[in-house]
Amino acid sequence: MPSTSQSSLYPIGTPSQAWGEKEKSLWLNQQIIQRSYAEQVLALILDSASISAFIAANTADTRATTATQSNPHSEITPELELVHYHTLAYNTLHPGASDYPVYLFKSRHWDETKPNVLITGGVHGYETSGVHGAIRFLRTKAQQYCQHANLVIVPCLSPWGYETINRWNPNAIDPNRSFTYDTDVSSDTALQSNVQEAHALMAALSKLTINFQLHIDLHETTDSDNAEFRPALAARDGKSYDNWDIPDGFYLVGDTLKPQAEFQKAIIHAVSAITHIAPAGEQARLIGVPIAQFGVINYPTKALGLCAGMTDAPYCTTTEVYPDSPLVDDENCILAQVAAITSAIDFILKINN
């Protein structure tokens, strides 16, 4: 895992100099819409009338603010309530960009005797199975789990990142390093920040005042991490970053302060029936981090501003699917995410009985 000065390899910026507004603008102007949030995400969670309203509100002619009155898709259980918690007003960024409403689903009949579960996907919009794994669970498994747990499901936090297949938001900021309380999430400040994707959700959850027992955050590790995103990070920050081998298979990132080894083990066991688990690489590491147990590394999630550290849930984990493996396809990746979710909830239900 050699240390490589990636900043000198990236086409934007000057080596060893952090980006200013000019470089960030150059980067933003290179981003293009490559797929549709409305057609690939909203169409699976909202009814057709809501999708039509979204499209009409974001035409080049009207540039109107997206309507917030939406209804859930008929295949989503009525036991879950649809909540529009924010709209990312990005329609003037570049051709094709739009306003992006973001939604969560929560148990309609909250039961204080049940464990509270948070499922988040699409913090990094380009990590496709994180979004569609959350949606697949929402449409196929959520109803049965509503009987035993209170659920909050956020399918896609970063829709602009989804459409542009990007790790960052339009301000060249990684949302998954931005779940920090350096902004007052109890006020509108969060909704006006330059990292709305993170702070808007934090504000919404703060208003719900829920203490979660479980938080599972759905991600992927892709070959583009080394090909594009780490070189871009090095260039943006004017620094050198270690390059690492991309793990070949599924793994988890637990919390250094509350690793919960048996919990992580249960998820790895369940997912291993769906897809292969990443073996340790050089020096018994995954993405440069020493393995804590088979298929698991640990990060200081709250200190790093990771989504998984956003709450004080005693059980938290981040999934990492490897979609570029020749051994998997899109469906396999989605099913791996669903297996991770269900096994995590099953573990919580078991220890609560």
Side-chain angles (χ1 to χ4, degrees), residues 15-349:
S16 302
Q17 293 184 20
W19 286 1
E21 292 307 312
K22 176 183 176 181
E23 289 79 14
K24 291 177 183 179
S25 179
L26 286 171
W27 173 84
L28 179 59
N29 289 337
Q30 291 183 0
Q31 309 311 309
I32 59 173
I33 302 299
Q34 302 186 58
R35 55 187 180 181
S36 172
Y37 175 63
E39 295 175 2
Q40 297 182 19
V41 177
L42 295 184
L44 297 176
I45 64 173
L46 303 181
D47 66 1
S48 57
S50 301
I51 301 300
S52 298
F54 169 81
I55 294 173
N58 285 285
T59 62
D61 293 332
T62 63
R63 290 297 187 194
T65 300
T66 303
T68 61
Q69 296 300 314
S70 300
N71 298 306
H73 194 284
S74 60
E75 293 188 19
I76 294 176
T77 175
E79 293 185 38
L80 291 174
E81 174 189 1
L82 174 69
V83 178
H84 168 265
Y85 67 88
H86 189 53
T87 294
L88 302 165
Y90 286 163
N91 66 28
T92 60
L93 288 175
H94 50 72
S98 62
D99 285 349
Y100 298 101
V102 280
Y103 299 91
L104 62 81
F105 290 82
K106 66 181 291 287
S107 292
R108 189 178 300 276
H109 305 293
W110 206 263
D111 185 342
E112 297 297 335
T113 67
K114 297 176 181 178
N116 302 328
V117 173
L118 174 62
I119 302 162
T120 48
V123 176
H124 289 147
Y126 75 105
E127 296 172 5
T128 307
S129 73
V131 175
H132 290 283
I135 293 173
R136 183 69 62 86
F137 173 84
L138 181 61
R139 288 168 61 105
T140 64
K141 301 289 186 180
Q143 183 171 8
Q144 71 185 71
Y145 281 98
C146 279
Q147 310 305 313
H148 309 289
N150 301 312
L151 302 179
V152 176
I153 305 168
V154 192
C156 186
L157 278 76
S158 299
W160 182 84
Y162 184 90
E163 290 202 328
T164 60
I165 311 183
N166 222 298
R167 184 181 182 89
W168 292 343
N169 76 1
N171 297 305
I173 296 174
D174 187 342
N176 205 37
R177 296 297 185 275
S178 305
F179 288 86
T180 60
Y181 287 91
D182 56 1
T183 189
D184 182 3
V185 298
S186 66
S187 73
D188 289 339
T189 303
L191 308 183
Q192 300 164 2
S193 74
N194 61 3
V195 61
Q196 298 173 62
E197 292 84 356
H199 290 160
L201 179 60
M202 294 175 75
L205 294 181
S206 176
K207 292 175 182 177
L208 294 178
T209 62
I210 298 170
N211 293 318
F212 290 99
Q213 186 174 8
L214 165 65
H215 179 194
I216 182 166
D217 189 32
L218 310 179
H219 283 257
E220 296 180 342
T221 300
T222 69
D223 288 344
S224 60
D225 287 3
N226 276 349
E228 168 63 24
F229 299 121
R230 289 189 66 76
L233 175 65
R236 186 199 68 181
D237 295 348
K239 298 179 179 179
S240 297
Y241 287 99
D242 288 341
N243 202 8
W244 51 55
D245 293 333
I246 301 298
D248 184 2
F250 179 94
Y251 66 99
L252 295 171
V253 181
D255 190 314
T256 303
L257 298 180
K258 43 188 175 183
Q260 304 291 7
E262 291 303 312
F263 167 69
Q264 310 290 354
K265 180 180 177 180
I267 299 173
I268 289 293
H269 176 74
V271 174
S272 68
I274 305 298
T275 194
H276 60 295
I277 307 303
E282 294 181 19
Q283 300 177 340
R285 294 169 181 259
L286 291 171
I287 62 169
V289 178
I291 62 167
Q293 62 192 84
F294 177 59
V296 182
I297 59 174
N298 292 322
Y299 271 8
T301 59
K302 194 173 289 290
L304 289 175
L306 304 186
C307 182
M310 170 177 53
T311 75
D312 291 321
Y315 293 89
C316 64
T317 196
T318 299
T319 66
E320 294 288 352
V321 167
Y322 178 45
D324 297 315
S325 171
L327 302 177
V328 304
D329 56 20
D330 292 347
E331 181 66 9
N332 180 261
C333 293
I334 292 170
L335 293 177
Q337 300 281 21
V338 174
I341 297 169
T342 56
S343 59
I345 301 175
D346 288 343
F347 184 92
I348 296 302
L349 296 179

